[in-house]
Amino acid sequence: MLFRSDFLGKHVRAGLVDYAGIKSSPAQLNALVSQIAGLRVDKESQAAKKAFYLNTYNVLVIHNMVDNWPISSPLDKDGFFDEKSWNINGQSLTLSDLENKLIRPRFLDARIHFSLVCAAMDCPKLPSEAFDASKLDTQLDKVTRQALNDSGFTRVNGNKAELSQIFSWYREDFPGSSNADLIHWINSYRSSAIPATAEISFYEYDWKANSR
């Protein structure tokens, strides 16, 4: 329907984005943003809607970075996530609206937190392919496993686990209410289990731009 992977495949390497390269030749990005504005997905399947909104978020983050490039962090631009609006499925939405008022409450899927990439180094790595409704569950499992098995993202040392602040900011999106519940969920995606009694803390988020 949209979001052929050639754009991401061309500009994303190991989760890092060539913002400078895109800015020097923005036609493909601008065409994607125009297509987003013209699409309506109300009659699509749930998987197609989810894929559309996840791809839309990631493309519009890139668009906002490119519009403001060079910046060292998305936070260098006031209102990066909550001032500029785009036409998305007939609604005027900011990035914050798209994530917190639409995607999170509509889909109730904790894996989205490993697929939405906010242009920062401590975000999960941006995939170099677009999300596709026909294989979306497989893709969401993949990005979740990659993040939770990445020693830079999930930092485990014996009986201590330093987790991304994503787990603190969006705790209500993950199953259960105890640390043991959270560890159990994380372990369902890890190749090496975190001890059930591990001491959990949250490391400070690095908002430096995920540029290459």
Side-chain angles (χ1 to χ4, degrees):
M1 183 172 69
L2 179 63
F3 302 117
R4 287 167 46 196
S5 292
D6 53 351
F7 171 73
L8 295 174
K10 179 179 179 181
H11 297 290
V12 179
R13 294 286 185 280
L16 303 179
V17 184
D18 181 13
Y19 296 113
I22 300 171
K23 190 174 184 73
S24 70
S25 183
Q28 191 176 18
L29 174 62
N30 291 338
L32 282 173
V33 175
S34 294
Q35 288 177 49
I36 289 168
L39 279 174
R40 298 295 180 270
V41 296
D42 296 312
K43 296 181 179 179
E44 300 290 339
S45 68
Q46 280 294 96
K49 290 175 184 175
K50 187 189 290 190
F52 169 75
Y53 288 124
L54 296 178
N55 288 325
T56 293
Y57 182 91
N58 289 336
V59 166
L60 295 182
V61 166
I62 293 173
H63 186 248
N64 217 13
M65 288 293 287
V66 168
D67 273 357
N68 292 286
W69 194 258
I71 53 176
S72 60
S73 165
L75 299 188
D76 286 352
K77 171 61 178 177
D78 289 343
F80 184 94
F81 296 102
D82 54 20
E83 285 190 3
K84 184 172 182 177
S85 297
W86 287 268
N87 183 2
I88 304 168
N89 195 39
Q91 301 180 73
S92 179
L93 300 172
T94 66
L95 290 168
S96 181
D97 291 337
L98 180 56
E99 178 182 11
N100 297 309
K101 295 182 180 180
L102 195 156
I103 295 174
R104 290 176 58 216
R106 177 172 296 186
F107 298 108
L108 301 175
D109 184 345
R111 297 174 301 172
I112 66 171
H113 293 296
F114 310 100
S115 59
L116 298 174
V117 182
C118 62
M121 286 300 294
D122 272 349
C123 290
K125 290 182 171 62
L126 182 66
S128 56
E129 67 172 5
F131 292 107
D132 182 328
S134 68
K135 55 181 179 179
L136 184 59
D137 270 327
T138 298
Q139 289 178 308
L140 290 176
D141 280 343
K142 180 180 179 180
V143 295
T144 302
R145 286 195 193 95
Q146 285 178 336
L148 298 182
N149 286 282
D150 180 344
S151 61
F153 186 87
T154 306
R155 306 169 186 180
V156 182
N157 184 8
N159 205 49
K160 294 185 177 181
E162 289 185 284
L163 304 180
S164 168
Q165 284 185 292
I166 287 171
F167 290 102
S168 176
W169 295 332
Y170 303 107
R171 180 64 186 90
E172 67 270 25
D173 292 354
F174 294 91
S177 58
S178 68
N179 284 352
D181 291 329
L182 182 58
I183 290 172
H184 179 75
W185 186 87
I186 291 171
N187 281 342
S188 69
Y189 292 96
R190 280 180 59 84
S191 58
S192 176
I194 299 171
T197 58
E199 177 185 336
I200 287 179
S201 61
F202 304 97
Y203 56 83
E204 185 175 354
Y205 212 73
D206 182 357
W207 282 98
K208 183 172 64 178
N210 63 342
S211 60
R212 65 177 180 92

